[in-house]
Amino acid sequence: MSEKVVKPYDSGQSKKEEVAQMFNNISANYDFLNHFLSLGIDHLWRKRAVKQLRALQPKVMLDLATGTGDFAIACLALKPTQIIGMDISAGMLAVGKQKMKKRAYDQIIDMQLGDSENMPFENNFFDAITVGFGVRNYENLEKGLSEMLRVLKPKGKAVILEFSKPKSFPIKQLFGFYANVFIPFFGKYISKDTRAYTYLPESVAAFPEGQAFVEVLQKVGYQTQEPIRLSGGIASIYIGTKAQ
C-alpha cells in the first residue's frame, strides 16, 4: 500500500504545485518567521552542515530548495567561485535576489527558478550540493535524490539538513508541543496562511528520517555515513557521496 502524500492544501493540484504556492504565499514574512520560530538555532545548524564540506573545498556548488538563500550564504565560508541557488517558488527567489544584491553576494550566488527533480544541468557538474529543510517537500523523493546524484561530480558530496524526530525525554515532548502547537499558532498569525505552518509538522512526521532516509540515499546510489543528529535530534545532517 502506498503512503499518503502530505501536501499543504489538498487543492487537487500536485504536491509540487502546492509547495510552490505555499512558499509564494509566505515569502514576504519567511525570513522573520524562520529565525523567530527556530529561535535562531537554524543558523548554527547550517554552519555545522557547511563544515562537512570543508575538506572537499568545493568551487562550484548548488543549493537546492534555496528559498531566500540562507544556506547559500552560509556556504560562502567555503570560498567557492560559484553557487547556484535553485527553488520552485518565484516569491521566495524574489526576496532572495534582493538579499543577494543588498549584500553584494550576487556576483557569486545566482538565484534561479527550477525544479529539483528535473534540473537543467549537465551530468557531473557540481562539486557539492546542499539542501536545507527541502527534501521532505520533494514530490518524488527518490527522483529528486537521483537527479542530485546525476549532477554531482564523482567524489562530490550532497549535504542534506532536515528536521527529524527526537526520541528521548524531555526533548521529544517539548518538540512535539513546539511543532504541533507553537509553530502553527504563530506561523498562522504572522504569515496569514492557515495551512503553511500546520503542513510543516505534518511533513516532518511523514518524512523517513534517520536510518530510513540513509537507506533511501543508498538505494539511489549514494555512499553514506552515519547521520549527525543536532539539538537532541530535532534536526539531522545527512551526507551522501558520489562514487568515483
Side-chain angles (χ1 to χ4, degrees), residues 2-14:
S2 61
E3 293 183 7
K4 181 181 184 295
V5 176
V6 176
K7 301 193 296 180
Y9 303 116
D10 289 328
S11 67
Q13 294 180 302
S14 69

Side-chain angles (χ1 to χ4, degrees), residues 167-182:
K167 306 296 190 292
S168 60
F169 178 86
I171 299 294
K172 177 180 178 180
Q173 288 73 19
L174 289 170
F175 183 68
F177 173 81
Y178 171 77
N180 294 294
V181 179
F182 183 85

Side-chain angles (χ1 to χ4, degrees), residues 20-33 67-68 89-96 191 193 197:
Q21 179 188 341
M22 178 187 75
F23 282 111
N24 286 339
N25 290 348
I26 66 176
S27 59
N29 296 305
Y30 179 80
D31 278 346
F32 170 77
L33 271 167
T68 65
S89 167
M92 295 287 277
L93 287 171
V95 175
S191 74
D193 188 304
Y197 289 90

Side-chain angles (χ1 to χ4, degrees), residues 6-8 22-23 26 30 33-34 37-38 133 136-137 162-164 175 178-180 183-184 187 194-207 234:
V6 176
K7 301 193 296 180
M22 178 187 75
F23 282 111
I26 66 176
Y30 179 80
L33 271 167
N34 198 33
L37 293 175
S38 71
F133 310 109
R136 74 179 189 283
N137 295 323
E162 190 53 84
F163 286 114
S164 47
F175 183 68
Y178 171 77
N180 294 294
I183 287 179
T194 58
R195 274 290 296 158
Y197 289 90
T198 304
Y199 164 76
L200 188 149
E202 290 175 358
S203 64
V204 172
F207 183 70
I234 294 172

Side-chain angles (χ1 to χ4, degrees), residues 107-198:
Q107 298 301 310
I108 297 175
I109 300 175
D110 180 21
M111 305 288 276
Q112 296 185 11
L113 186 68
D115 180 358
S116 301
E117 297 170 39
N118 186 23
M119 292 187 278
F121 307 117
E122 298 175 5
N123 296 350
N124 310 315
F125 190 80
F126 295 99
D127 298 309
I129 298 174
T130 54
V131 193
F133 310 109
V135 294
R136 74 179 189 283
N137 295 323
Y138 286 3
E139 188 165 76
N140 185 321
L141 180 60
E142 290 186 15
K143 184 178 179 183
L145 294 173
S146 296
E147 183 71 347
M148 289 164 55
L149 188 65
R150 178 185 70 78
V151 301
L152 265 179
K153 292 179 182 177
K155 297 186 181 181
K157 291 184 183 294
V159 173
I160 297 166
L161 176 61
E162 190 53 84
F163 286 114
S164 47
K165 296 182 272 290
K167 306 296 190 292
S168 60
F169 178 86
I171 299 294
K172 177 180 178 180
Q173 288 73 19
L174 289 170
F175 183 68
F177 173 81
Y178 171 77
N180 294 294
V181 179
F182 183 85
I183 287 179
F185 176 80
F186 283 100
K188 175 183 175 181
Y189 179 76
I190 296 171
S191 74
K192 311 302 182 188
D193 188 304
T194 58
R195 274 290 296 158
Y197 289 90
T198 304

